[in-house]
Amino acid sequence: MYRYDTFDRQLVAERVAQYRDQLARYLAGELRDEEFLPLRLQNGLYRERHSPMLRVAIPYGLLSADQLRALATVAERWDRGYGHFTTRQNIQFHWVRLEETAEILAFLAEHDLHAIQTSGNCIRNITTDPLAGVAADERVDPRPWCEFIRQWATLHPEFAFLPRKFKIAVNGAKEDRAAIRAHDIGLDLYPTDDPLAPEFDIYVGGGLGRTPIVGKRLYARVPAAELIPTLEAILRVYNRFGRRDNKYKARIKILLQALGVEAFRAAVDAERARGDTVVATYRDGWRDEVARIAAHFAEDDERAARTASKWRAEQAQPTLRDAGEERAFARWRSRNVLPHRVLGFVAVALVTKRHERAPGDVTAEEMRAIADWSERYADGEIRVTHEQNLVLAWVPEAALPALWREVRALGFGRPTFRLATDVISCPGGDYCALANARSIPVAQAVIAQLDRDPKRLAALGKVAINLSGCMNACGHHHLGAIGVLGVDKKGEEWYQITIGGQEGNDLRLGQVIGPSVRAEAVAPAIERLLDTYLALRRPEERFAETVARVGAEPFATAVYGDVSTVSTQQNPEHDHVVA
């Protein structure tokens, strides 16, 4: 993985010092709330229902074992013993004290971690495929480019106060596991004869939230030398013309819809043609910088090879005790062990979802155990997925039985990766001040109900169930095969159900199937939707494909009965506003 040098550490240390001064002035009454607001947000600090929340950046979802142990220390020393991994591949601590946040950031900086630009109207954490660099279907490793873009975007003076937050995702595989068309900018990488110079398809104007839109391809096969100049031009057009009078219409997707793709492209082309000094510098110097960054990731292969040699030398493959253990191991391996581009290695998914806890929550003790596993059984690195799970990406196949025993003992051995119980959920109304409804108890109820029949769960196959506590869509409910959105009706919590969303190359947005329901009705409604899917699907047909083929009416009937008077429009206004 990328390792900080003196420049990186100095930049982060200086930002901590700046924030420490800003915080001191605020606590002393020298800064008003509205003055402190953008400063704290761009250092990852939110005000929630019960206490401040600190969001720590995990660039493109990649952590070292030492960094994960540092996060465990933050959880124990400054929080309540756990952290919450998010759909943006970051981690959140929901119970920090405002006056201690500078101390936390200083500690994180010692471990090459920070919270810079994890909130605010700026370029947020760059995200990518959690299998980047190891995926069997990978065309180009996106990690060097994620790091290159991260360094360009960090504290960029021109883009620190955009009309609204801005998210970039990068994909380098045949199958898009980064949902690039659901982002403000999505990049799809393609190889060329020059391994340092891939080409980029650039998608713009995607996003979820109040107005979910699938991004449009703005450019095809942009040369590597033109990547940063093109991104710079897109951001400048957005910064100049994006709306600032209405935060609900301030995202780049609204600007793109208003102008149209052709007019927006013309504006970007005009900006690219300016060729100012900064852009010219990137055009001249990008190759050396990308080569420097890529060298860090090349070291991963060498370290992983040493890990494999260690396991072969030790011949450390424990014997499974009995037929029951063999069956349990086989189920886990078939579901949670993923193919790898290098023969003899696999990637292993650690599922965080259990009905007794919030999806994405991991305790300090568990973080330390996972850090240990990454060093003992893999390459010392941990990946965060947007499904709020963790991945060990360089596990020798010979190490699987030993790893499985430890994973199982700590509760991460459930063979449910990307099954219906692998529920995505935001923190919702239990924490977030923006939420209209709680999402965690509903997610827990869904998981508990589906857990009752493991055979049916396995028969359903890959089904994404995503929950959001408000229209900001932090739970990505629009992309769920089944999506659940918390809405407020005259001070009461209700839940709107969508079906037919899907990630991947054929990204689709879900459609609302009828009026919202109460919390206790959500899990039974999902059960009926899944039964309908089992009854109607064709072999190998995914949930969204079944919905597209037969329509929403059979599913709505399963939930509501007679649907002759039930609306199935995508965005019924009465359920999308706070009553």
Side-chain angles (χ1 to χ4, degrees):
M1 62 185 290
Y2 179 77
R3 291 162 187 81
Y4 279 21
D5 59 17
T6 303
F7 176 85
D8 298 307
R9 294 192 175 100
Q10 180 178 343
L11 183 147
V12 173
E14 288 177 354
R15 190 66 193 95
V16 171
Q18 291 168 353
Y19 174 74
R20 190 186 297 278
D21 177 65
Q22 293 160 353
L23 176 63
R25 285 188 288 141
Y26 173 72
L27 294 175
E30 297 171 13
L31 289 177
R32 300 189 305 274
D33 279 349
E34 59 269 27
E35 292 173 319
F36 187 54
L37 172 66
L39 304 177
R40 65 171 171 82
L41 285 179
Q42 292 209 14
N43 283 279
L45 189 66
Y46 283 76
R47 285 180 175 168
E48 294 198 311
R49 291 183 185 271
H50 310 295
S51 68
M53 178 269 281
L54 181 66
R55 178 183 294 149
V56 178
I58 304 176
Y60 39 98
L62 188 56
L63 286 167
S64 69
D66 174 71
Q67 289 174 326
L68 187 56
R69 292 188 185 101
L71 295 174
T73 298
V74 172
E76 285 180 333
R77 188 179 300 173
W78 290 287
D79 205 270
R80 294 191 174 180
Y82 66 93
H84 176 78
F85 289 100
T86 77
T87 54
R88 293 288 302 159
Q89 298 180 301
N90 290 319
I91 189 170
Q92 296 177 176
F93 296 101
H94 289 275
W95 297 98
V96 299
R97 291 167 54 86
L98 176 61
E99 55 269 29
E100 295 178 338
T101 50
E103 184 181 353
I104 299 171
L105 293 178
F107 173 81
L108 290 170
E110 295 172 5
H111 299 272
D112 297 345
L113 289 165
H114 62 79
I116 297 170
Q117 295 178 203
T118 57
S119 183
N121 295 337
C122 54
I123 301 173
R124 301 280 188 91
N125 188 44
I126 312 301
T127 59
T128 192
D129 181 358
L131 300 179
V134 305
D137 66 337
E138 188 166 86
R139 297 183 300 247
V140 179
D141 184 352
R143 293 173 301 168
W145 292 96
C146 289
E147 178 60 29
F148 187 49
I149 296 167
R150 185 191 73 83
Q151 294 189 16
W152 161 75
T154 299
L155 301 181
H156 194 303
E158 192 174 347
F159 306 136
F161 297 99
L162 295 167
R164 199 72 172 88
K165 58 187 176 182
F166 204 91
K167 300 175 181 179
I168 299 174
V170 187
N171 173 60
K174 293 178 181 177
E175 178 69 17
D176 174 19
R177 287 176 288 270
I180 59 173
R181 288 184 295 154
H183 286 74
D184 298 286
I185 289 179
L187 302 176
D188 215 5
L189 280 72
Y190 291 87
T192 67
D193 293 337
D194 183 347
L196 275 181
E199 294 177 329
F200 298 80
D201 280 6
I202 300 180
Y203 294 85
V204 177
L208 304 179
R210 182 178 295 265
T211 309
I213 295 176
V214 176
K216 308 296 191 298
R217 190 169 71 175
L218 194 67
Y219 296 105
R221 302 303 197 272
V222 173
E226 293 298 316
L227 175 64
I228 293 298
T230 304
L231 297 183
E232 194 112 353
I234 292 169
L235 265 295
R236 284 177 172 174
V237 169
Y238 171 52
N239 208 15
R240 186 182 311 149
F241 299 112
R243 292 185 61 171
R244 298 177 187 268
D245 61 323
N246 185 336
K247 71 177 183 178
Y248 301 117
K249 297 182 179 181
R251 299 292 293 270
I252 195 173
K253 60 188 177 184
I254 303 300
L255 176 62
L256 189 70
Q257 293 291 105
L259 294 179
V261 174
E262 294 305 320
F264 186 89
R265 184 185 295 113
V268 175
D269 287 344
E271 186 63 50
R272 290 172 71 187
R274 287 177 54 188
D276 61 23
T277 303
V278 173
V279 169
T281 300
Y282 273 110
R283 284 195 176 106
D284 293 339
W286 70 270
R287 178 180 288 276
D288 289 344
E289 181 61 11
V290 170
R292 182 187 72 85
I293 293 169
H296 290 281
F297 297 100
E299 295 173 9
D300 296 348
D301 294 352
E302 299 174 7
R303 184 169 62 257
R306 291 195 296 271
T307 301
S309 298
K310 180 190 72 173
W311 277 96
R312 283 194 296 268
E314 295 177 357
Q315 297 181 346
Q317 186 166 351
T319 302
L320 298 172
R321 286 188 289 266
D322 53 39
E325 194 172 62
E326 288 176 357
R327 286 193 296 272
F329 174 75
R331 285 193 297 270
W332 172 78
R333 178 166 185 162
S334 68
R335 176 54 55 185
N336 291 33
V337 177
L338 311 174
H340 201 286
R341 68 175 176 83
V342 178
L343 186 66
F345 288 93
V346 292
V348 173
L350 307 175
V351 179
T352 70
K353 320 304 172 55
R354 299 169 232 174
H355 69 265
E356 66 272 15
R357 66 166 60 181
D361 279 9
V362 179
T363 69
E365 176 189 6
E366 291 167 344
M367 289 184 208
R368 289 198 174 92
I370 294 167
D372 291 345
W373 298 339
S374 76
E375 291 176 330
R376 201 156 59 245
Y377 300 111
D379 62 339
E381 297 175 5
I382 303 95
R383 317 289 186 90
V384 183
T385 79
H386 83 275
E387 297 103 339
Q388 301 170 284
N389 295 317
L390 303 174
V391 167
L392 305 180
W394 281 93
V395 179
E397 288 190 80
L400 281 175
L403 173 61
W404 171 70
R405 280 191 172 155
E406 294 201 45
V407 165
R408 189 188 195 195
L410 206 57
F412 290 96
R414 289 160 49 86
T416 55
F417 182 58
R418 292 180 176 161
L419 294 184
T421 54
D422 195 1
V423 172
I424 292 175
S425 174
C426 71
D430 287 305
Y431 298 94
C432 182
L434 301 176
N436 295 322
R438 292 175 296 169
S439 50
I440 292 172
V442 177
Q444 291 171 322
V446 170
I447 294 170
Q449 185 151 323
L450 295 176
D451 265 344
R452 295 172 186 168
D453 191 344
K455 289 184 178 179
R456 177 172 171 272
L457 180 64
L460 285 164
K462 181 180 179 180
V463 178
I465 301 177
N466 300 359
L467 289 87
S468 297
C470 76
M471 287 169 28
N472 285 309
C474 294
H476 295 184
H477 65 276
H478 299 103
L479 300 182
I482 300 173
V484 180
L485 168 65
V487 297
D488 182 313
K489 286 189 172 184
K490 297 180 179 179
E492 294 184 346
E493 296 179 341
W494 289 71
Y495 297 85
Q496 187 182 82
I497 298 174
T498 62
I499 63 170
Q502 180 172 284
E503 295 186 9
N505 296 345
D506 187 16
L507 186 139
R508 309 180 190 190
L509 302 174
Q511 59 179 309
V512 176
I513 60 170
S516 52
V517 301
R518 291 188 179 275
E520 61 271 18
V522 173
I526 288 175
E527 285 276 21
R528 292 193 288 274
L529 290 170
L530 294 174
D531 284 341
T532 304
Y533 167 56
L534 283 174
L536 296 177
R537 73 178 178 183
R538 290 174 176 171
E540 306 302 322
E541 191 172 57
R542 296 174 64 180
F543 194 107
E545 295 164 345
T546 301
V547 172
R549 178 172 56 81
V550 306
E553 186 170 327
F555 294 90
T557 300
V559 174
Y560 301 104
D562 181 9
V563 297
S564 60
T565 61
V566 174
S567 169
T568 57
Q569 60 181 314
Q570 183 160 338
N571 292 308
E573 188 66 25
H574 68 279
D575 271 353
H576 271 261
V577 298
V578 178

